[in-house]
Amino acid sequence: MYAMRPMPRSVDPISDPLSVPVGVPDPALARAGGILTIDLAAIVANWRALVGHAPSAECAAVLKADAYGLDAARVAPALAAAGCRTFFVAHLDEGIALRRILPGGARIAVLHGPMPGTEGEFPAHTLLPVLNSTEQVRDYARLAGTMGRRLPAILQSDTGMARLGLSRGELDALVNGGGLSGLDLVLHMSHLACADSPGNPANPAQLHDFTAACARLPGVPASLSASSGIFLGPDYHFDLVRPGAALYGIAPQAGAPNPLKLAIRLQGRVVQLREVPAATAIGYGHTAHTTERTHLATIGIGYADGFLRSLSNRGAGWFRGVRLPIVGRVSMDSVILDASALPAGALHAGDLVDFIGPDQDLDAIARDAGTIGYEILTSLGARYPRRHLGL
Ligand SMILES: *Cc1c(COP(=O)(O)O)cnc(C)c1O
């Protein structure tokens, strides 16, 4: 019923939910139980806003996990066209896939670095490994020796997360022992553990330790901040910032106003409407019961679509600005809403109800689900047709 052709550029589908024009029907959208709309123009606008927040640094883009579920094959070219030159993914496979999409000049860095035996794939696909351990450095330097040339690479220091990267002692040992000599270090990076809470003393502690580690690598550009770190101020910007979540509209700082645009809209389709009397048991396990006559709407998305089961009896959908609470458990392919707040006849089978959009952003649905916006995004299911707008 909705959304049958690409949006005109001037219309913002996210902030103007009723603006979607009726046009040539797209059968894939008409068939779907849920539709995920991705606003590429909003992602590009968020990237530009982040450039503005860290004007002295290069602004990269983190596209791991298929651009946090939003389709890296569409997001990457949009950001490259806007001027983004460095892209991060987590795995080698993601890097190889992204290399096929991006223009040759784009730098693609692989955060996990080479798994043992895969070192040769990095120069073969023009990918930059992030070297996280003494072993990764040793094996990559050995490859450089075999190839007879210095290989570009990124070095990661662990400054207080105990996840990936060299300890200060390991860095010193490599610098003192000449272990980095076969490598052309294009970036030295670290990652903040608590950047979304600005008052946390771990932030200045990591900043201090990173600055000290950088002093061991004179002339090597440095990078410390992902989305949240950008908002800790210019001391945290160094030469390159690496936002992911903020590109897609997740709030960078808990409890502060979100300066970024929501870049997605998730809609679920009304499959069936019914009116039930008081004391009707609803859904698996009968975890909800009506207390009065109630209008129920069954929507065609469920936990198989990444619509988290923890939203059972907690979250809500929205229709024309009216909140429709989830009643009962989220099922695999459906979820039941209490639609009684709507005027009679307002909702019909086939209508689309908003779950992420202008009335309920990623952080709001994440709160109801007991998780974070990152997990909501990266859980978005493969069954949704993904409709990219804005470019
Ligand atoms: C995921 C990741 C990022 C991006 O983080 P956001 O919080 O999504 O901006 C940056 N750097 C590293 C090392 C990461 O793992």
Side-chain angles (χ1 to χ4, degrees):
M1 316 195 67
Y2 286 168
M4 303 311 180
R5 67 178 177 211
M7 299 289 301
R9 235 164 241 260
S10 57
V11 177
D12 177 351
I14 308 290
S15 67
D16 187 0
L18 303 179
S19 68
V20 181
V22 176
V24 184
D26 176 338
L29 298 185
R31 288 193 294 254
I35 297 172
L36 182 59
T37 304
I38 297 155
D39 185 348
L40 294 171
I43 295 173
V44 168
N46 286 339
W47 183 77
R48 293 210 168 100
L50 295 165
V51 169
H53 280 284
S56 63
E58 177 186 346
C59 189
V62 179
L63 301 186
K64 60 196 182 189
D66 203 18
Y68 294 42
L70 303 186
D71 194 351
R74 300 297 302 270
V75 174
L79 289 172
C84 183
R85 288 179 288 119
T86 302
F87 299 83
F88 287 84
V89 293
H91 298 290
L92 175 55
D93 271 333
E94 294 178 328
I96 292 171
L98 195 56
R99 181 45 83 203
R100 294 197 196 101
I101 291 156
L102 282 173
R107 298 197 293 178
I108 302 173
V110 176
L111 288 165
H112 286 178
M115 298 302 113
T118 66
E119 293 80 11
E121 304 218 43
F122 285 78
H125 295 280
T126 324
L127 301 173
L128 281 168
V130 176
L131 303 175
N132 296 296
S133 65
T134 303
E135 292 74 20
Q136 285 189 334
V137 171
R138 178 199 62 204
D139 293 347
Y140 210 61
R142 185 180 294 155
L143 173 70
T146 312
M147 294 179 71
R149 64 181 172 98
R150 290 174 80 216
L151 290 176
I154 297 174
L155 197 64
Q156 175 149 229
S157 284
D158 173 34
T159 55
M161 192 164 173
R163 187 177 70 167
L164 289 169
L166 302 164
S167 69
R168 183 55 200 275
E170 290 167 330
L171 175 66
D172 288 347
L174 282 169
V175 171
N176 296 337
L180 301 170
S181 58
L183 304 174
D184 172 18
L185 291 185
V186 299
L187 193 69
H188 172 224
M189 60 178 270
S190 190
H191 194 54
L192 296 167
C194 307
D196 60 345
S197 45
N200 196 309
N203 296 321
Q206 285 196 263
L207 176 63
H208 176 270
D209 289 357
F210 183 59
T211 305
C214 287
R216 300 298 328 258
L217 299 166
V220 179
S223 174
L224 180 60
S225 286
S227 297
S228 298
I230 292 171
F231 294 84
L232 294 177
D235 287 352
Y236 289 80
H237 294 165
F238 292 89
D239 300 299
L240 180 142
V241 292
R242 314 181 303 269
L247 296 173
Y248 313 114
I250 292 174
Q253 293 191 320
N258 186 352
L260 300 154
K261 291 185 185 199
L262 182 59
I264 69 167
R265 181 177 185 191
L266 175 65
Q267 296 164 295
R269 174 109 45 207
V270 177
V271 179
Q272 182 174 1
L273 295 163
R274 72 173 76 238
E275 195 181 339
V276 297
T280 301
I282 299 171
Y284 279 123
H286 288 176
T287 59
H289 296 81
T290 53
T291 55
E292 58 195 336
R293 272 201 96 66
T294 303
H295 290 269
L296 297 176
T298 303
I299 311 293
I301 68 178
Y303 61 75
D305 302 295
F307 194 83
L308 301 180
R309 195 163 170 278
S310 56
L311 289 164
S312 299
N313 289 308
R314 299 199 46 160
W318 290 78
F319 188 73
R320 303 206 171 141
V322 177
R323 186 175 189 274
L324 311 179
I326 291 173
V327 284
R329 285 191 184 146
V330 176
S331 310
M332 184 185 293
D333 313 295
S334 56
V335 58
I336 302 165
L337 303 181
D338 181 345
S340 306
L342 286 170
L347 193 62
H348 303 93
D351 280 348
L352 292 169
V353 172
D354 275 304
F355 289 92
I356 301 170
D359 295 307
Q360 177 163 272
D361 67 13
L362 278 162
D363 296 285
I365 193 168
R367 262 192 306 278
D368 284 340
T371 183
I372 55 175
Y374 294 69
E375 192 176 29
I376 297 291
L377 268 188
T378 55
S379 300
L380 291 168
R383 275 199 298 202
Y384 298 133
R386 280 159 167 73
R387 204 165 61 111
H388 290 82
L389 303 177
L391 284 174

Coordinates of all heavy atoms in Angstrom, one line a residue, residues 62 64 68 111 156 163 189 191 226-227 242-246 374, ligand 1:
V62 N 33.1 2.9 9.8 CA 33.2 1.5 10.1 C 31.9 0.8 9.6 O 30.8 1.1 9.9 CB 33.2 1.4 11.7 CG1 33.3 -0.1 12.1 CG2 34.5 2.1 12.2
K64 N 31.7 -2.7 9.5 CA 31.7 -4.1 9.8 C 30.2 -4.6 10.0 O 29.3 -3.8 10.1 CB 32.4 -4.3 11.1 CG 31.9 -3.6 12.3 CD 32.9 -3.5 13.5 CE 32.3 -2.8 14.7 NZ 33.3 -2.6 15.7
Y68 N 26.6 -2.6 9.9 CA 25.6 -2.8 11.0 C 24.3 -3.2 10.5 O 23.2 -2.8 11.1 CB 25.6 -1.5 11.8 CG 26.8 -1.0 12.5 CD1 28.1 -1.1 11.9 CD2 26.8 -0.5 13.8 CE1 29.2 -0.7 12.6 CE2 27.9 -0.1 14.5 CZ 29.2 -0.2 13.9 OH 30.3 0.2 14.5
L111 N 39.9 -5.1 11.1 CA 40.1 -4.9 12.5 C 40.8 -6.1 13.2 O 41.6 -6.0 14.0 CB 38.9 -4.5 13.2 CG 38.4 -3.0 13.0 CD1 36.9 -2.9 13.4 CD2 39.3 -2.0 13.6
Q156 N 47.7 -1.8 16.5 CA 46.7 -1.5 17.5 C 47.4 -1.7 18.9 O 48.0 -2.7 19.2 CB 45.5 -2.3 17.5 CG 44.5 -2.1 18.7 CD 43.0 -2.2 18.4 OE1 42.3 -1.3 18.8 NE2 42.6 -3.2 17.8
R163 N 41.0 -6.4 25.1 CA 40.3 -7.1 24.0 C 41.3 -7.4 22.9 O 41.7 -8.5 22.7 CB 39.2 -6.2 23.5 CG 38.3 -6.9 22.5 CD 37.1 -6.1 22.1 NE 37.4 -5.0 21.3 CZ 36.5 -4.3 20.6 NH1 35.2 -4.6 20.6 NH2 36.9 -3.2 19.9
M189 N 46.5 2.7 16.4 CA 45.2 3.0 16.9 C 45.0 2.3 18.3 O 45.8 1.4 18.6 CB 44.1 2.5 16.0 CG 44.2 1.0 15.6 SD 42.8 0.6 14.5 CE 41.6 0.1 15.8
H191 N 41.4 1.7 21.3 CA 39.9 1.8 21.3 C 39.5 2.1 22.8 O 40.0 1.5 23.7 CB 39.4 0.4 20.8 CG 37.9 0.5 20.5 ND1 37.3 1.4 19.6 CD2 36.9 -0.3 20.9 CE1 36.0 1.2 19.6 NE2 35.7 0.2 20.4
A226 N 36.1 6.1 18.3 CA 35.0 5.7 17.5 C 33.9 6.7 17.7 O 34.2 7.9 18.2 CB 34.5 4.3 17.9
S227 N 32.6 6.4 17.5 CA 31.5 7.4 17.6 C 31.5 8.2 18.9 O 31.6 9.4 18.8 CB 30.2 6.7 17.5 OG 30.0 6.1 16.2
R242 N 37.0 7.0 13.9 CA 36.4 5.8 13.3 C 35.0 5.6 13.7 O 34.7 4.6 14.4 CB 37.2 4.6 13.7 CG 38.8 4.7 13.7 CD 39.4 3.4 14.1 NE 39.0 2.9 15.4 CZ 39.6 3.2 16.5 NH1 40.7 3.9 16.5 NH2 39.2 2.7 17.7
P243 N 34.0 6.4 13.3 CA 32.7 6.2 13.7 C 32.0 5.0 13.0 O 32.2 4.9 11.8 CB 32.0 7.5 13.4 CG 32.8 8.0 12.2 CD 34.2 7.6 12.5
G244 N 31.2 4.3 13.7 CA 30.3 3.3 13.0 C 28.8 3.7 13.4 O 28.1 4.3 12.7
A245 N 28.5 3.4 14.7 CA 27.1 3.6 15.2 C 26.5 5.0 14.9 O 25.3 5.1 14.5 CB 27.1 3.3 16.7
A246 N 27.3 6.0 15.1 CA 26.8 7.4 14.9 C 26.4 7.6 13.4 O 25.4 8.4 13.2 CB 27.8 8.4 15.3
Y374 N 23.1 -0.8 19.0 CA 24.0 -1.6 18.2 C 23.4 -3.0 17.9 O 23.5 -3.6 16.8 CB 25.3 -1.8 18.9 CG 26.2 -0.6 19.1 CD1 25.8 0.4 20.0 CD2 27.4 -0.5 18.4 CE1 26.7 1.5 20.2 CE2 28.2 0.6 18.6 CZ 27.9 1.6 19.5 OH 28.7 2.7 19.7
Ligands
LIG1 C1 33.3 -1.2 16.1 C2 34.5 -0.4 16.2 C3 34.5 1.0 15.9 C4 33.2 1.7 15.6 O1 32.5 1.8 16.8 P1 31.2 2.7 17.0 O2 30.9 2.7 18.5 O3 30.1 1.9 16.3 O4 31.4 4.0 16.4 C5 35.7 1.6 15.9 N1 36.8 1.1 16.2 C6 36.9 -0.2 16.6 C7 38.2 -0.9 16.9 C8 35.7 -1.0 16.6 O5 35.8 -2.3 17.0

